Amino acid sequence: MTSSTPPGYHHWTRRPVVYLPVHRRGEVIGCIWASPDQHAAGFERRLAVAGDDLDCLIAWEARLSESAAAGLSARAAIERWIGAPEDAVAGTVPAQSSPVESPSLAWLWEQLNPDGPPLGEGPLIQDGTYPDGTPVDREQGWGPLVSAPLENYASETDAPVRYLPVRLDSVVVGYVWAAVTDDAAGYLPRPEAGRTGEIAAGLWQLRFSDAYRAGQPATDALRRFPAFAADRLSGVVGPGTTEDLASGLTELRQRAEAATTEQ
């Protein structure tokens, strides 16, 4: 791996990908995929079978993170699992499998989930460009900027909310929350954390979006967050962290705006 290679795989791409089927107890639960020229890789579930199972997603996320840390290319990161013993959570890639080409990640998602919901547009910036092809590096061109929000739970609610602290280097930088009515959820940065707290929002919003597209109640998604591994930009909730309850977002925002640093 050269010094210019990103430390982790990107989770989205608009470019072609290759993929491998993942089986568990004889049934396809999803596919692992890679976009070699974009250093992107991930796991997409077959919602009809694993729609209420985020554990398999977490397991593959951990495996791919380990491969990225070891310096493997995205394609090598998925090929290394061909023929590996079946795991009770992650499943297995059959020994005779070989990567299959897909014109896009969206096309692969549609093959896994022909009855929907759609994959969604993903982050605004993918593959170093905006949705219209405008490069992020302005020396390569300029064009109109188009917003592409994730499909997600409502960002406001009048209901009480359950919440968990998000820590980065042991400091609370924000809170992930879900309405007790299960129809609203999000990430709330602490103003004192500054830009660090705002940047941390990205991965948590993606995780909420995945749960939303899988039809999960918002509070179920929240309960799974302590199991996620730490991320260098988005931090961690951490095993054993218990939920607190606030009367509403106003109370939670007041807590987030507290002047003292929490550690």
Side-chain angles (χ1 to χ4, degrees), residues 88-110:
V89 176
T92 184
V93 177
Q96 303 305 314
S97 300
S98 59
V100 179
E101 294 184 358
S102 168
S104 68
L105 186 57
W107 184 91
L108 172 58
W109 176 268
E110 289 172 0

Side-chain angles (χ1 to χ4, degrees), residues 1-2 5-9 39 64-74 76-77 80:
M1 181 174 66
T2 67
T5 301
Y9 306 122
H39 198 66
L64 293 172
S65 294
E66 290 172 1
S67 295
L72 295 181
S73 69
R80 70 184 298 192

